[in-house]
């Protein structure tokens, strides 16, 4: 059995970044654990003093992809990512129709707060490079 993976992002506004990535990946906000009506109720029951504004998480509704966790940090992003996510809309299909789907998804993400950085079209692959609302670079392929 493979190990589970969680991807954790530093964030200025965790809820906003979680909402963006839920849109980007087709994820949903992680519901509170069974028996709790909210994360606030869960935190109070567990004695967790962190504000719910300091943390957010989104999950794949099909449970196939990793959980994304967003944690508030005081400092902003200052350098290029050492790793990034590829949002694979085309699944490697290089047809004009597949590229149109990638462009449409990138356009939705820009409307949601991403910045379009550049496009690359090389023999090894094609990608639209974006930055999320807090400047984290990623590709739509």
């Amino acid at each position: 059995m493979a190990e589970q993976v969680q991807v954790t992002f530093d964030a200025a506004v965790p809820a906003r970044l979680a909402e963006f990535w839920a849109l980007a990946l087709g994820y949903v906000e992680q519901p509170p654990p069974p028996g709790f009506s909210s994360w606030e109720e869960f935190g109070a029951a567990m004695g967790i003093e962190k504000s719910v504004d300091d943390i957010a998480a989104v999950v794949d509704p099909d449970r196939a992809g990793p959980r994304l966790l967003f944690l508030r940090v005081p400092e902003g992003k200052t350098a290029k990512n050492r790793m990034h996510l590829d949002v694979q809309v085309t699944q490697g299909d290089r047809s004009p129709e597949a590229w149109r789907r990638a462009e449409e998804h990138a356009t939705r993400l820009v409307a949601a707060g991403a910045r379009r950085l550049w496009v690359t079209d090389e023999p090894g692959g094609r990608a639209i490079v974006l930055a999320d609302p807090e400047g984290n670079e990623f590709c739509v392929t």
Side-chain angles (χ1 to χ4, degrees):
M1 181 173 157
E3 299 296 333
Q4 293 295 311
V5 172
Q6 170 175 280
V7 179
T8 303
F9 289 76
D10 289 349
V13 184
R16 182 181 79 168
L17 209 52
E19 182 180 329
F20 174 84
W21 281 101
L23 173 68
L25 300 175
Y27 274 34
V28 296
E29 180 181 353
Q30 183 177 15
F36 296 94
S37 62
S38 69
W39 283 106
E40 291 88 349
E41 182 184 337
F42 171 77
M46 298 296 119
I48 299 171
E49 295 182 21
K50 228 177 194 351
S51 165
V52 293
D53 293 335
D54 291 337
I55 189 169
V58 296
V59 294
D60 178 350
D62 297 326
R63 299 182 179 214
R67 176 183 192 238
L68 301 186
L69 179 66
F70 303 88
L71 300 174
R72 184 181 308 277
V73 297
E75 64 278 352
K77 182 177 179 302
T78 60
K80 183 181 184 312
N81 300 13
R82 295 290 306 256
M83 56 133 334
H84 70 267
L85 300 181
D86 288 342
V87 179
Q88 298 177 329
V89 175
T90 66
Q91 302 300 316
D93 180 353
R94 292 184 58 96
S95 71
E97 171 60 24
W99 189 245
R100 183 188 61 73
R101 287 193 315 271
E103 285 283 1
E104 287 173 353
H105 195 57
T107 298
R108 277 192 296 278
L109 297 178
V110 167
R115 275 183 303 118
R116 189 176 177 120
L117 301 177
W118 67 84
V119 174
T120 182
D121 188 1
E122 301 170 351
R126 187 188 258 187
I128 303 163
V129 182
L130 302 171
D132 75 13
E134 293 196 13
N136 301 298
E137 297 91 0
F138 67 100
C139 295
V140 174
T141 64

